[in-house]
């Protein structure tokens, strides 16, 4: 699995924007890869919604997200960024989380500075831990990263702060700079309020920066070219696939509940569905190992 982290490092070094769709299961990740993207994000928001039918509010356990991440990583060859929330406990837990995610095939672990239980960055009541605790948490992750690399493996650490909403711009900028100084591979400032804040971040932090895009009323969506021009290296669309899949299922169910059917304009052909889920691949292997 080291190759995936190495591939992500190389892609970041190219200097062109990396667009990262969020996924939530093996099929959505495979579709991301088939569409030609160079990386995907295992979204805790989307995994919580699809696996337990509940919001991203710290309800998923370490084991639940790890198992899902492992299944997703096993289905694709592109690097994955895994949502590790707050690390699921104290600094020792953080070390275990980084090791477990790396062993599962995740190329990069996202670690945030919220209190536990955490919640979606746009939910009500977001709080962050004090600076010192945030830095110790990150240091534990970086120490495990370095130990993995010393043993011939590789993994990246993406340090996220939610302090813009909780404590203001100056605190968010301070934490991003501190995270970069500590050695984070990527820094993520959740919730910049305008382009000026984005530009300030990108001018003050020299490691790769990630901008998360959210389809929400009143929030303009930047194109990859616009984000790159500001100074970002990564552009994340964390819940877009979850959003469109829920919309498509609701539309189909509404038609069926009314005695109708989605119809061919809303459906894959049977052959395309058959191929997409992998039957042609399976039959090829079955034929290869058929008894003589």
């Amino acid at each position: 699995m080291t190759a995936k982290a190495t591939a992500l490092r190389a892609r970041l070094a190219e200097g062109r924007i990396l667009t990262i769709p969020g996924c939530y299961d093996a099929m959505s990740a495979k579709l991301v890869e088939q569409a030609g993207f160079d990386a995907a994000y295992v979204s805790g928001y989307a995994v919580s919604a699809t696996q337990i039918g509940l919001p991203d509010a710290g309800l998923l356990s370490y084991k639940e997200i790890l198992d899902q991440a492992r299944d997703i990583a096993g289905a694709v060859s592109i690097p994955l960024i895994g949502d590790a929330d707050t690390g699921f406990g104290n600094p020792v837990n953080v070390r275990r989380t980084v090791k477990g995610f790396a062993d599962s095939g995740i190329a990069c672990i996202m670690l945030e500075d919220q209190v536990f239980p955490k919640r979606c960055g746009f939910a009500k009541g977001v709080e962050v831990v004090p600076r010192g605790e945030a830095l110790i948490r990150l240091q534990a992750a970086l120490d495990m990263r370095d130990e993995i690399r010393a043993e011939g493996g590789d993994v990246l650490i993406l340090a996220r702060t939610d302090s813009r909403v909780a404590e203001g711009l100056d605190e968010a900028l301070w934490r991003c700079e501190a995270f970069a100084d500590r050695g984070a591979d990527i820094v993520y400032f959740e919730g910049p309020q305008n382009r000026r804040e984005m530009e300030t971040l990108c001018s003050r932090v020299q490691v790769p920066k990630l901008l998360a895009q959210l389809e929400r009323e009143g929030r303009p969506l930047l194109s990859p070219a616009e984000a790159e021009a500001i100074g970002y290296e990564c552009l994340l669309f964390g819940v877009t696939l979850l959003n469109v899949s829920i919309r498509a299922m609701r539309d189909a169910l509404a038609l069926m509940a009314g005695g109708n059917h989605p119809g061919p304009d809303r459906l894959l052909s049977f052959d395309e569905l058959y191929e997409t889920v992998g039957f042609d691949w399976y039959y090829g292997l079955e034929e290869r190992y058929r008894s003589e």
Side-chain angles (χ1 to χ4, degrees):
M1 297 303 179
T2 299
K4 293 182 180 181
T6 303
L8 180 58
R9 288 186 185 278
R11 178 62 178 78
L12 290 171
E14 290 181 8
R16 56 190 177 92
I17 195 78
L18 174 63
T19 302
I20 309 167
C23 62
Y24 46 86
D25 59 13
M27 178 53 67
S28 59
K30 288 178 71 173
L31 293 174
V32 171
E33 182 174 35
Q34 290 167 8
F37 290 93
D38 294 331
Y41 170 62
V42 181
S43 164
Y45 185 112
V47 170
S48 187
T50 57
Q51 298 304 303
I52 61 174
L54 293 171
D56 183 21
L59 298 171
L60 279 178
S61 70
Y62 164 69
K63 185 66 162 51
E64 287 172 314
I65 188 68
L66 179 68
D67 287 347
Q68 190 72 355
R70 182 182 294 108
D71 287 344
I72 294 171
V76 296
S77 61
I78 58 174
L80 297 173
I81 298 172
D83 186 353
D85 290 347
T86 62
F88 302 99
N90 66 22
V92 180
N93 293 93
V94 171
R95 288 175 54 89
R96 178 174 183 252
T97 296
V98 171
K99 182 66 164 60
F101 272 58
D103 288 346
S104 76
I106 296 297
C108 178
I109 290 97
M110 186 177 80
L111 186 70
E112 60 194 63
D113 61 355
Q114 285 196 39
V115 301
F116 180 84
K118 59 86 60 177
R119 58 190 62 203
C120 166
F122 287 90
K124 296 178 181 179
V126 170
E127 297 179 68
V128 295
V129 297
R131 287 179 176 182
E133 185 175 345
L135 291 175
I136 291 171
R137 182 184 293 174
L138 174 60
Q139 190 62 57
L142 296 174
D143 287 346
M144 179 51 68
R145 176 201 64 185
D146 293 345
E147 290 177 27
I148 290 170
R149 298 192 75 188
E151 295 174 357
D154 199 8
V155 68
L156 289 80
I157 302 298
L158 191 167
R160 163 179 167 169
T161 182
D162 286 82
S163 55
R164 175 64 184 91
V165 172
E167 299 191 5
L169 175 61
D170 289 343
E171 183 65 17
L173 292 171
W174 187 95
R175 292 189 183 216
C176 286
E177 290 183 288
F179 293 167
D181 289 344
R182 281 289 174 118
D185 297 290
I186 308 170
V187 167
Y188 169 15
F189 171 165
E190 172 62 79
Q193 301 299 297
N194 51 53
R195 187 184 182 103
R196 180 184 58 80
E197 293 189 4
M198 299 177 193
E199 292 171 344
T200 301
L201 169 70
C202 291
S203 69
R204 290 171 58 168
V205 176
Q206 301 310 308
V207 302
K209 282 79 59 184
L210 180 145
L211 174 65
Q213 297 276 263
L214 182 68
E215 294 84 3
R216 183 182 186 186
E217 294 78 4
R219 290 188 62 86
L221 292 177
L222 274 64
S223 70
E226 289 172 326
E228 185 174 14
I230 291 173
Y232 286 100
E233 290 80 7
C234 303
L235 187 62
L236 174 66
F237 292 88
V239 298
T240 304
L241 292 187
L242 173 68
N243 191 318
V244 297
S245 64
I246 291 175
R247 173 65 184 271
M249 287 189 283
R250 277 184 170 174
D251 289 349
L253 290 166
L255 288 169
M256 295 165 68
N260 299 302
H261 191 270
D265 60 324
R266 295 173 180 261
L267 296 170
L268 301 175
S269 70
F270 179 80
D271 289 343
E272 188 176 1
L273 177 63
Y274 209 68
E275 190 278 330
T276 299
V277 301
F279 274 106
D280 291 343
W281 165 85
Y282 179 83
Y283 291 149
L285 287 179
E286 192 175 53
E287 184 62 30
R288 176 181 175 181
Y289 295 114
R290 191 177 299 279
S291 299
E292 298 182 355

